[in-house]
């Protein structure tokens, strides 16, 4: 299958030629398939936010090329503009960017920019609000009347309202409690299920990756150093730990049990997987 997003050796240097010069990305080549759910992890400063902003053209890499559906996103002005709608980007703490008088108008901002008529805009707003669980009466409120979690969801709805083919979010659950975090993840999952969109999420939560991602891409020092299904990536816990990254709790427990000599299976990344392995172990012990 042809990738929907592809980067070919992108390098990004901030403030080139000044004393603040900093290489944030080096030769990053990456592909995302349609419908894939990709988790991006990496230590602070490893280049994650810089990278995702190159994917919708917000940051123009110093060198290298970003492709959408096989075509350079810089091929023409129209194309570069179009990509902003096809590749939706939710910034970190996006609720700080709500500025309209009503939630409705905030969510409508993107679709209006796309040139849709009032009827289509209203339809997009209602649809996006539905994905994130905002109620009809929330739409007429000021964003500032909403709770923190709902405000975050309203901001995500503003991106979903453009019906992006690729939805990218930079730490969408940062600062939320566990319940608020699972709701956001469920909202994003619902959007993906109903549209077949590709999801790319930057996160510090290995549990989130274990439960949702098809693939995990690990950044270190501006480079991709690992790109594998979660079970394969988390089996390399020593390498991850050397980069200051952890593994899901279930993986850590399985590793500890194995170190104590218990013949516990590899590839465990969720609580369910751990439970099944322990049951298996007990059954084995019973039959011995
Ligand atoms: N506007 C900028 N000017 C100069 N350097 C920058 C700029 N933005 C980011 N950097 C630097 O580029 C590197 C990569 O930053 P980036 O924000 O992409 O990392 P990150 O992986 O998203 O980190 P975090 O986990 O803290 O969000 C860091 O060293 C950062 O200090
Ligand atoms: Mg970041």
């Amino acid at each position: 299958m042809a990738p929907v997003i592809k980067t070919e050796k992108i390098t990004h240097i901030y403030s080139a030629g000044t004393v603040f010069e900093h290489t944030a990305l080096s030769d990053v080549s990456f592909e995302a398939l349609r419908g894939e759910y990709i988790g991006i992890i990496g230590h602070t400063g490893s280049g994650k936010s810089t990278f995702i902003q190159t994917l919708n053209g917000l940051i123009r890499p110093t060198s290298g090329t970003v492709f959408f559906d096989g075509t350079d996103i810089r091929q023409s002005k129209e194309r570069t503009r179009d990509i902003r709608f096809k590749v939706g980007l939710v910034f970190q703490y996006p609720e700080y960017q709500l500025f309209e008088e009503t939630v409705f108008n905030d969510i409508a901002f993107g679709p209006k920019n796309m040139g849709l008529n009032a009827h289509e805009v209203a339809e997009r707003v209602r649809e996006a609000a539905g994905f994130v669980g905002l109620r009809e009466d929330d739409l007429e409120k000021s964003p500032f009347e909403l709770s923190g979690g709902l405000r975050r969801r309203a901001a995500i709805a503003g991106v979903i309202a453009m019906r992006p083919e690729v939805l990218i979010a930079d730490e969408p659950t940062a600062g939320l409690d566990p319940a608020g975090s699972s709701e956001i993840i469920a909202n994003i999952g619902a959007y993906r299920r109903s549209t077949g969109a590709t999801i790319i999420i930057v996160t510090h939560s290995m549990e989130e990756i274990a439960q949702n991602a098809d693939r995990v891409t690990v950044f270190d020092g501006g480079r991709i150093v690992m790109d594998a299904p979660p079970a394969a990536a988390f089996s390399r816990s020593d390498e991850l730990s050397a980069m200051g990254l952890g593994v899901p709790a279930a993986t850590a427990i399985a590793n500890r049990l194995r170190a104590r000599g218990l013949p516990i299976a590899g590839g465990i990344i969720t609580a369910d997987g751990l439970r099944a392995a322990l049951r298996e172990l007990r059954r084995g012990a019973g039959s011995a």
Side-chain angles (χ1 to χ4, degrees):
M1 194 165 43
V4 59
I5 290 261
K6 179 176 161 170
T7 71
E8 212 169 69
K9 290 192 160 207
I10 55 173
T11 289
H12 190 62
I13 305 172
Y14 282 112
S15 314
T18 76
V19 289
F20 301 107
E21 180 166 311
H22 184 88
T23 303
L25 297 173
S26 306
D27 271 346
V28 175
S29 296
F30 166 92
E31 288 187 1
L33 303 178
R34 268 191 199 284
E36 218 177 357
Y37 193 129
I38 299 172
I40 294 186
I41 59 175
H43 197 267
T44 180
S46 59
K48 306 177 299 291
S49 297
T50 305
F51 174 68
I52 57 171
Q53 290 176 76
T54 66
L55 300 181
N56 82 337
L58 215 55
I59 288 180
R60 181 179 197 153
T62 314
S63 65
T65 315
V66 179
F67 298 91
F68 181 88
D69 255 350
T71 317
D72 184 345
I73 64 168
R74 303 273 171 193
Q75 198 185 48
S76 65
K77 272 213 176 83
E78 296 69 45
R79 176 120 185 119
T80 307
R81 182 176 177 278
D82 213 31
I83 291 302
R84 300 271 161 95
F85 308 129
K86 288 187 175 353
V87 181
L89 183 61
V90 179
F91 286 99
Q92 215 176 338
Y93 297 104
E95 59 275 25
Y96 292 117
Q97 292 178 10
L98 298 173
F99 56 89
E100 297 278 350
E101 266 174 40
T102 63
V103 172
F104 182 99
N105 287 348
D106 252 310
I107 302 177
F109 186 80
K112 271 187 199 154
N113 262 342
M114 295 171 80
L116 299 175
N117 68 38
H119 176 77
E120 290 165 324
V121 168
E123 191 184 304
R124 294 292 187 100
V125 172
R126 301 235 136 68
E127 179 188 89
F131 277 121
V132 301
L134 281 169
R135 293 192 321 249
E136 189 74 33
D137 62 318
D138 289 328
L139 296 177
E140 295 318 315
K141 290 182 186 161
S142 154
F144 301 102
E145 291 173 61
L146 301 181
S147 70
L150 272 186
R151 221 179 298 153
R152 173 86 47 99
R153 289 196 256 159
I156 294 175
V159 174
I160 283 181
M162 296 187 287
R163 286 190 198 149
E165 291 172 44
V166 178
L167 178 64
I168 305 178
D170 201 349
E171 303 193 32
T173 61
L176 297 179
D177 61 21
S181 297
S182 353
E183 278 187 60
I184 298 268
I185 293 300
N187 297 156
I188 291 172
Y191 179 70
R192 178 195 189 209
R193 264 194 311 283
S194 125
T195 60
T198 304
I199 307 291
I200 301 178
I201 294 211
V202 175
T203 181
H204 284 285
S205 164
M206 304 305 156
E207 317 295 335
E208 253 171 56
I209 301 239
Q211 281 159 27
N212 304 292
D214 300 314
R215 233 171 81 202
V216 50
T217 302
V218 185
F219 277 77
D220 190 42
R223 294 177 188 276
I224 291 180
V225 293
M226 217 188 271
D227 192 346
F234 291 135
S235 74
R236 296 158 69 179
S237 53
D238 292 347
E239 280 169 76
L240 292 172
S241 152
M243 289 182 255
L245 301 172
V247 293
T251 310
I253 294 170
N255 287 348
R256 233 170 290 151
L257 294 175
R258 211 174 296 117
R260 289 197 186 171
L262 285 176
I264 201 153
I268 290 169
I269 58 174
T270 61
D272 280 347
L274 182 61
R275 231 172 272 132
L278 290 175
R279 223 178 289 127
E280 196 55 39
L281 205 61
R282 216 174 303 139
R283 201 171 299 141
S287 67

